[in-house]
């Protein structure tokens, strides 16, 4: 187990962690988003979108956290991240929905009040939510079908 605490606070301002218990074997690592090059991550995301490439789960997570890495132009960065997110391709629609929920929190934290609704439209939250609900319903249907099949097998075993 390796615990990681991420924070937008510069590392130099984070307090040192004190281990109060001898049984606590692994200490969490503190990672400040200020230590990352937000522009480098943004450029990488731009190229993935431009080349129509699929994003992995980690790349999607990186994308939504770019605004935390770039405090100077956060409005402009957040705008571009929302645009790239709307163009981002992922195989897992449920995961994209979960990332969108994370981005929604970031929008509410960092965007100006007058920009929040517009940015929510940019990431197309309504469509993402609809796609996720459809995927979840398909998964439930598959589980029901598997349950029926398992029930039939149990009944067959009992008769055999």
């Amino acid at each position: 187990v390796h615990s990681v605490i991420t924070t937008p606070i510069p590392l130099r301002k984070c307090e040192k962690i004190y281990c109060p218990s001898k049984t606590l074997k692994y200490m969490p690592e503190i990672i400040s988003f200020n230590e990352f090059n937000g522009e480098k991550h943004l450029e990488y995301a731009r190229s993935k979108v431009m080349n129509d490439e699929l994003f992995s789960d980690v790349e999607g997570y990186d994308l939504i956290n770019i605004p935390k890495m770039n405090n100077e132009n956060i409005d402009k960065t957040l705008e571009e991240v929302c645009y790239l997110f709307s163009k981002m391709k992922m195989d897992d629609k449920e995961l994209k929905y979960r990332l969108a929920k994370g981005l929604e929190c970031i929008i509410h934290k960092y965007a100006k009040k007058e920009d929040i609704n517009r940015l929510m439209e940019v990431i197309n939250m309504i469509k993402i939510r609809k796609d996720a609900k459809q995927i979840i319903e398909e998964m439930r249907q598959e589980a029901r079908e598997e349950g029926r099949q398992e029930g039939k097998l149990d009944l067959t075993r009992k008769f055999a």
Side-chain angles (χ1 to χ4, degrees), residues 21 24 32-33 36 43 45 47 67 75 81 93 119 139 143 151 154:
S21 168
L24 187 56
S32 172
F33 285 113
F36 291 92
E43 184 56 41
S47 70
D75 293 338
V81 164
K93 287 186 176 21
L119 291 174
M139 290 168 57
D154 284 346

Side-chain angles (χ1 to χ4, degrees), residues 97 125-135:
Y97 169 70
M125 193 63 178
I126 293 170
K127 182 184 182 317
I128 291 170
R129 197 174 282 136
K130 180 182 165 195
D131 290 347
K133 284 180 182 178
Q134 181 181 350
I135 295 289

Side-chain angles (χ1 to χ4, degrees), residues 97-115:
Y97 169 70
R98 293 181 189 280
L99 289 171
K101 293 295 289 176
L103 184 53
E104 180 179 27
C105 293
I106 291 168
I107 289 169
H108 280 84
K109 179 173 175 79
Y110 294 106
K112 294 175 184 170
K113 289 186 189 240
E114 62 269 15
D115 292 337

Side-chain angles (χ1 to χ4, degrees), residues 59-70:
E59 291 166 336
Y61 179 75
D62 279 349
L63 174 64
I64 70 168
N65 282 297
I66 290 172
K68 297 177 189 174
M69 299 174 195
N70 191 355

